[in-house]
Amino acid sequence: MTGKTENQNLVQEDVQAENASTVVETEAQEVVEEQVELTIEEQYEAKLAELQAKLDDEENRHIRLRADFDNIRRRQQLEREAAEKYRAQNLLTDLLPVLDNFERALQIEATSDEAASIVKGIEMVYRSLIEATEKEGLQVINAEGEQFDPNIHQAVMQEQDSEKETGVVVRELQKGYILKDRVLRPSMVSVNE
């Protein structure tokens, strides 16, 4: 019996060993499955983080593009307004010498009735031209007796007049003109030393 008992004990030990081995294998399999599940979760989290980063990049790109579009639209609006405001600038600039010539013609003294009627006609045309240019926003720059301003005056001479302050415009040699808030031509002036 001792041999049989030993065999039974050995068989029992083998069965217990197999059961222990099965338990160990089952536990190992559960650990592997847990690791696989964690790995899948980690993969999903990594993919989610990647997609979130792409979404953030696209949102930033969209915001920048929108800001660029708004800036372009605003700049074009300002350019349109400036073009409308100064639409007559080229024409008025070309007319300035014509105005100068009319003023010179009006300074001539008429010695006969015929010359006087011509001067009167020139004066009427000149006034019509001045009215038309003023409607477009052209204004004469006041110079004589004013303090010299390099933004609107161009000093070509200096004179000495003890009755006037230093830096005051003594004489205007050529009229200057402003279109709305833009200087078309500065006044050529002589300034007191």
Side-chain angles (χ1 to χ4, degrees):
M1 267 200 116
T2 4
K4 232 181 184 183
T5 313
E6 281 180 23
N7 278 343
Q8 285 178 345
N9 284 343
L10 285 175
V11 169
Q12 267 184 346
E13 285 177 8
D14 283 343
V15 169
Q16 286 176 352
E18 279 182 31
N19 286 341
S21 170
T22 307
V23 167
V24 168
E25 285 176 7
T26 307
E27 287 176 358
Q29 198 174 20
E30 287 176 3
V31 167
V32 168
E33 286 175 3
E34 262 184 49
Q35 287 177 350
V36 168
E37 285 179 16
L38 287 177
T39 305
I40 291 172
E41 282 182 20
E42 289 172 353
Q43 288 175 354
Y44 284 140
E45 287 176 6
K47 187 69 172 176
L48 180 64
E50 178 185 334
L51 291 174
Q52 186 65 42
K54 284 183 179 179
L55 177 63
D56 291 343
D57 288 344
E58 289 299 317
E59 283 178 347
N60 288 337
R61 184 173 169 265
H62 173 74
I63 290 170
R64 284 190 303 274
L65 287 173
R66 181 66 189 208
D68 288 345
F69 176 75
D70 288 343
N71 289 339
I72 289 169
R73 189 171 36 89
R74 203 173 302 120
R75 192 176 313 117
Q76 286 178 342
Q77 177 66 25
L78 291 174
E79 287 172 2
R80 274 194 304 268
E81 289 172 1
E84 175 63 27
K85 186 176 182 180
Y86 302 111
R87 72 183 186 286
Q89 179 174 346
N90 291 336
L91 175 64
L92 292 174
T93 302
D94 292 341
L95 286 177
L96 294 182
V98 175
L99 292 173
D100 293 338
N101 289 334
F102 270 112
E103 289 171 1
R104 283 187 206 101
L106 291 174
Q107 289 174 355
I108 296 173
E109 291 186 29
T111 54
S112 67
D113 290 339
E114 199 172 287
S117 65
I118 291 174
V119 169
K120 186 168 178 97
I122 291 173
E123 187 177 335
M124 290 170 53
V125 172
Y126 174 72
R127 285 186 190 172
S128 298
L129 187 58
I130 290 293
E131 287 175 12
T133 58
E134 285 175 351
K135 284 181 186 175
E136 289 298 322
L138 186 71
Q139 298 172 344
V140 175
I141 296 174
N142 296 326
E144 207 165 310
E146 299 288 324
Q147 188 67 31
F148 176 75
D149 181 357
N151 296 317
I152 58 173
H153 300 132
Q154 180 181 359
V156 293
M157 293 175 52
Q158 284 188 339
E159 295 181 16
Q160 187 136 13
D161 188 350
S162 59
E163 295 177 9
K164 296 187 178 177
E165 295 178 25
T166 304
V168 171
V169 174
V170 179
R171 266 188 311 145
E172 180 179 58
L173 306 172
Q174 183 182 39
K175 281 188 178 181
Y177 294 92
I178 294 178
L179 175 61
K180 299 184 179 169
D181 57 356
R182 212 180 256 183
V183 176
L184 288 185
R185 180 175 77 187
S187 298
M188 283 204 286
V189 296
S190 176
V191 181
N192 194 26
E193 290 182 0

